[in-house]
Amino acid sequence: QELNVMLAERLEEWAHAYKAEGEALALQKLLKKRFGAVPADVLAKISAAPLGQIDTWLDQVLDARSLDDLFGPTAS
């Protein structure tokens, strides 16, 4: 039973990581389509961001006027 619990926890971690990776890729694709080339510093922020932050950016990407609107003045 302990093994089943550990396996279930591991599967949940993997599913969460897989979802975060998929949403990060979707965000990058939307950003490229909307604003052109995505700077390395923005890609780094996306890669390091938790899933909740990525969800927030996905919600805002269609209303943003620039990368700076989403990521602040560090976006080049």
Side-chain angles (χ1 to χ4, degrees), residues 11-54:
L11 286 173
E12 188 174 325
E13 289 174 20
W14 289 337
H16 185 78
Y18 184 74
K19 181 178 182 192
E21 183 179 335
E23 288 197 15
L25 290 173
L27 177 60
Q28 291 174 26
K29 186 173 183 174
L30 287 170
L31 290 171
K32 183 177 180 185
K33 183 86 167 168
R34 185 105 203 282
F35 302 112
V38 181
D41 60 334
V42 171
L43 294 175
K45 281 186 177 185
I46 294 169
S47 294
L51 182 58
Q53 180 61 62
I54 294 170

Side-chain angles (χ1 to χ4, degrees), residues 44-70:
K45 281 186 177 185
I46 294 169
S47 294
L51 182 58
Q53 180 61 62
I54 294 170
D55 282 338
T56 299
W57 288 328
L58 280 169
D59 288 341
Q60 297 171 345
V61 71
L62 296 178
D63 296 324
R65 293 173 304 197
S66 69
L67 288 172
D68 289 351
D69 284 351
L70 290 170

